[in-house]
Amino acid sequence: MKKTGLFFMLLLLSGCNMRVLNPASDTAEKLTDLIYLSFGLMMLVFVIVMILFVHFLRKFRETKETQNVIPDDESENKWLELTWTVLPFVLLAVLAVPTVKATYDLTSQVSGSGEEPQGEAIVVEVVGQQFNWRFTYDNGRTSVDELVLPVGREVEFHLTSNDVIHSFWVPNLAGKIDVIPGEETRLSFQPSDTGTFQGKCAEFCGAEHTLMRFETRVVSEAEFKQWLREQ
Ligand SMILES: [Cu+2]
């Protein structure tokens, strides 16, 4: 018990910085909102259950008077039964509607329709291989384990793998997307903040899977243009 208390204390003091709760793109923001919504609902259920739990513990505790009393057997209670049938439906609906909506939005954005990206979007070809990431830009500039993106511009990734299945993930910027040999998957988002964000492979892919990390730098348009010209 003491150890658990200490653990939560440390967690609190660490001011824990969770990447998925620190969105820096339009897509990541939607995902973070969903996490908060489901967490909020869970807490609501948890608190209500705990209050009822303590209430019943007190109400039905054994006292001198009730020691030898066996309460009446209640066979049904229409209102109670309705409540615990309908309430979960309501909770699930509250959770399901925004989740399905966000999933549709993101999937149409992610998998694209195979059309060319609209207007201003920049395209980055991504190749995952044991154990690094290679990024190729429109103008032929390539980089390994270093992804540079301009802030406020839609980016479209075309991803494929040279060997086994990997998964492309920058928690601050978007959800995971599988990177599959012989196939092209797509992902797009618009970074909203500048900064350096860690990306990683999120699918176990071999001995050095944990080292399959890359750095994502979101910079100003001018810095991005300059970086593109280098090399
Ligand atoms: Cu991998």
Side-chain angles (χ1 to χ4, degrees):
M1 197 60 208
K2 246 187 185 165
K3 271 187 186 156
T4 323
L6 197 70
F7 171 75
F8 280 109
M9 185 84 153
L10 279 175
L11 197 69
L12 219 73
L13 288 175
S14 70
C16 57
N17 176 9
M18 294 176 79
R19 293 195 185 98
V20 282
L21 298 181
N22 256 331
S25 81
D26 55 341
T27 304
E29 217 153 284
K30 278 186 200 156
L31 296 176
T32 307
D33 289 347
L34 282 180
I35 293 174
Y36 278 123
L37 175 70
S38 50
F39 187 72
L41 280 178
M42 273 188 262
M43 282 301 108
L44 185 71
V45 172
F46 179 74
V47 167
I48 292 175
V49 169
M50 280 301 131
I51 289 174
L52 289 175
F53 176 65
V54 172
H55 170 69
F56 289 133
L57 277 185
R58 285 169 55 92
K59 185 170 172 190
F60 294 109
R61 73 186 185 281
E62 193 179 87
T63 59
K64 277 229 161 58
E65 300 87 63
T66 59
Q67 221 167 27
N68 298 310
V69 181
I70 297 176
D72 292 341
D73 195 9
E74 297 217 27
S75 62
E76 60 178 75
N77 184 324
K78 197 171 81 187
W79 288 112
L80 258 183
E81 284 163 21
L82 267 177
T83 310
W84 72 55
T85 308
V86 170
L87 215 60
F89 270 109
V90 175
L91 285 181
L92 283 180
V94 171
L95 194 60
V97 172
T99 304
V100 171
K101 191 182 173 301
T103 308
Y104 268 103
D105 287 354
L106 295 181
T107 317
S108 60
Q109 197 180 336
V110 166
S111 48
S113 41
E115 293 163 13
E116 286 314 299
Q118 344 92 307
E120 291 289 273
I122 61 165
V123 176
V124 182
E125 307 282 341
V126 182
V127 178
Q129 56 191 12
Q130 290 163 321
F131 295 95
N132 60 49
W133 298 94
R134 200 179 67 234
F135 304 106
T136 308
Y137 292 79
D138 282 352
N139 70 345
R141 175 140 171 37
T142 61
S143 61
V144 172
D145 290 342
E146 185 197 25
L147 178 62
V148 180
L149 303 173
V151 69
R153 277 266 294 274
E154 188 77 13
V155 193
E156 191 174 303
F157 296 93
H158 297 179
L159 310 102
T160 190
S161 164
N162 264 346
D163 36 47
V164 298
I165 299 177
H166 302 277
S167 178
F168 178 88
W169 192 30
V170 188
N172 295 89
L173 299 176
K176 300 164 189 164
I177 183 102
D178 276 349
V179 181
I180 304 167
E183 219 178 280
E184 184 185 79
T185 48
R186 292 188 173 195
L187 173 72
S188 67
F189 56 78
Q190 183 172 326
S192 53
D193 298 328
T194 56
T196 302
F197 309 106
Q198 199 197 77
K200 59 178 91 180
C201 176
E203 180 77 53
F204 181 67
C205 60
E208 286 167 51
H209 161 72
T210 56
L211 302 178
M212 206 171 152
R213 290 160 184 257
F214 59 94
E215 198 182 76
T216 308
R217 279 193 295 124
V218 178
V219 297
S220 67
E221 184 79 35
E223 262 175 277
F224 174 69
K225 285 210 168 112
Q226 200 198 336
W227 181 85
L228 262 190
R229 279 197 299 269
E230 288 168 13
Q231 191 187 50

